[in-house]
Amino acid sequence: MKVENVIEEMEKLAPESLKEEWDNVGLLIGDKKSEVKKILLCLDVTDEVVDESIELKANLIISHHPVIFSGMKTINFDDATGKKIIKIIKNDINVFCMHTNLDSCKGGTNDVLFDYLKLSNKEILINNGDDTGLGRIGENETPMSLEKYLKFVKDKLNIKYISYAKDNDGIGKQIKKVAVCTGACDNYFIKVAKEKNCDVIVTGDLKYHTGQLAKELGIVIIDASHYETENIVLDDLKSYIENNIEVKVEISNVNGQSIEIC
C-alpha cells in the first residue's frame, strides 16, 4: 500500500475540492510513492506526535490541522516548525492533512459533532452544494433550558468546563434548534445561524466581540473548546481506514490539549 493509494481512499471521504481557498491540505510532507507501514491519526502534528510516530514505526501521519499552514521562506533548526519538519523528513515520515475539507464533507467533523449532540433533522449551515459545507443545524428531541443544555453538552463531550455567551433571555432560555460548527466560527456563521432561527450555536472558539454580536442578535454561543469539538472525529477516521484500507492504523496517545483550565 503506497501513500498515494491511502490518499486516494481518504479523498473519497474528504475531497480536496471541499477545502476553503485559504486552507492548506493534502500531502504536505513526503513521497506519494513510498510504502505505508502504519498510519498514525492526530489532530495536530506536534513534536510529541512526531516522536510517537517514530517509536511506533508509523511512517504516515494523517492530521486534521495542517503541519504547514502559512508560507515559509526558510526551514532550519532556529525555527520550531522548521526543526519539526526536518525531523519528519529525516525519519522518512509522510504527513497528509485534511482540514476544512474534513469539516465540510459527509461524515466529517461537523457530522460527528452533530451525532454526539443527538440532534435530528440535519441541515447544512453554510451550504456548498451536494449536502456538503461548513457547520450543521439540527433539533433537540425536546427543548431544554440553557442551564440544562450546558450540562448536556459537557456530558456528551466529556468535558469539565465550557464558556458561553448568553443572550438577554438568560439561563432559562429554551434550546430547541441548534447549530454546530467545529473548531472556530466567525461572525458570518453567527449571523447565518440566527437567520435560520437557531437558539444556540455550539463551536470551539468564542471570541470576545463575537460574543457581543451574538447577544445583540439574540443567539447563544457555547464554546466547547477547539480540541474537544474536533478530536472526536479521530475514532470515525480510524474506522473508515480499517474498513477501506489494508494498513495498520492507530490514534495518537500524546495529541492532547496544550491549554489547561484550572
Side-chain angles (χ1 to χ4, degrees):
M1 179 68 66
K2 296 185 184 297
V3 170
E4 62 183 352
N5 303 128
V6 175
I7 291 174
E8 183 180 354
E9 289 299 324
M10 298 310 294
E11 290 199 339
K12 290 178 183 177
L13 171 67
E16 187 171 329
S17 60
L18 293 179
K19 77 177 183 68
E20 298 297 297
E21 290 183 0
W22 48 264
D23 204 3
N24 191 31
V25 305
L27 184 63
L28 303 187
I29 301 174
D31 176 9
K32 64 182 180 181
K33 297 294 183 183
S34 63
E35 292 286 339
V36 179
K37 299 173 183 176
K38 183 185 289 187
I39 296 173
L40 183 64
L41 298 175
C42 64
L43 198 65
D44 299 280
V45 185
T46 63
D47 279 328
E48 293 81 5
V49 168
V50 176
D51 290 338
E52 182 184 25
S53 180
I54 295 168
E55 182 180 349
L56 293 173
K57 295 181 171 56
N59 67 331
L60 175 57
I61 296 174
I62 297 180
S63 71
H64 181 45
H65 295 135
V67 64
I68 302 171
F69 193 71
S70 55
M72 298 182 66
K73 293 185 177 181
T74 61
I75 298 176
N76 56 54
F77 282 98
D78 296 327
D79 175 76
T81 302
K83 186 177 181 180
K84 179 167 57 181
I85 291 171
I86 291 169
K87 184 194 292 187
I88 289 169
I89 293 172
K90 279 188 171 182
N91 287 277
D92 297 320
I93 297 171
N94 305 276
V95 181
F96 177 73
C97 303
M98 301 186 296
H99 191 208
T100 51
N101 50 329
L102 187 62
D103 294 330
S104 288
C105 73
K106 296 178 183 178
T109 57
N110 281 290
D111 279 340
V112 172
L113 180 58
F114 184 96
D115 291 340
Y116 260 73
L117 296 181
K118 305 296 182 183
L119 297 169
S120 59
N121 301 325
K122 186 185 298 180
E123 301 175 37
I124 309 296
L125 181 61
I126 310 294
N127 202 318
N128 291 338
D130 299 324
D131 295 326
T132 64
L134 295 173
R136 301 291 184 267
I137 296 174
E139 295 182 350
N140 291 322
E141 183 177 351
T142 56
M144 62 183 85
S145 69
L146 175 57
E147 183 176 20
K148 289 184 178 180
Y149 194 67
L150 291 169
K151 184 178 185 306
F152 173 82
V153 173
K154 287 164 64 176
D155 290 344
K156 290 301 178 184
L157 296 179
N158 192 29
I159 51 180
K160 291 183 179 180
Y161 306 101
I162 55 177
S163 302
Y164 69 100
K166 63 179 181 292
D167 64 8
N168 292 325
D169 291 336
I171 202 72
K173 179 185 178 77
Q174 293 298 297
I175 304 298
K176 175 65 174 178
K177 195 169 185 180
V178 179
V180 299
C181 179
T182 58
C185 68
D186 59 21
N187 289 358
Y188 177 67
F189 286 80
I190 305 301
K191 291 176 181 177
V192 173
K194 178 59 181 179
E195 288 171 1
K196 296 190 175 184
N197 299 313
C198 294
D199 302 305
V200 64
I201 181 166
V202 180
T203 185
D205 271 315
L206 173 56
K207 295 180 180 179
Y208 175 77
H209 292 294
T210 303
Q212 286 185 321
L213 173 64
K215 184 174 182 179
E216 292 172 1
L217 293 176
I219 184 172
V220 176
I221 303 181
I222 295 176
D223 180 348
S225 97
H226 201 121
Y227 177 85
E228 301 293 354
T229 59
E230 293 186 334
N231 197 57
I232 53 177
V233 78
L234 296 183
D235 284 328
D236 287 64
L237 284 182
K238 184 173 187 289
S239 296
Y240 177 84
I241 291 170
E242 289 173 337
N243 290 332
N244 293 280
I245 305 172
E246 293 183 5
V247 63
K248 293 181 180 179
V249 56
E250 294 191 30
I251 296 174
S252 172
N253 289 313
V254 298
N255 182 34
Q257 287 200 64
S258 59
I259 298 174
E260 296 183 7
I261 300 174
C262 63

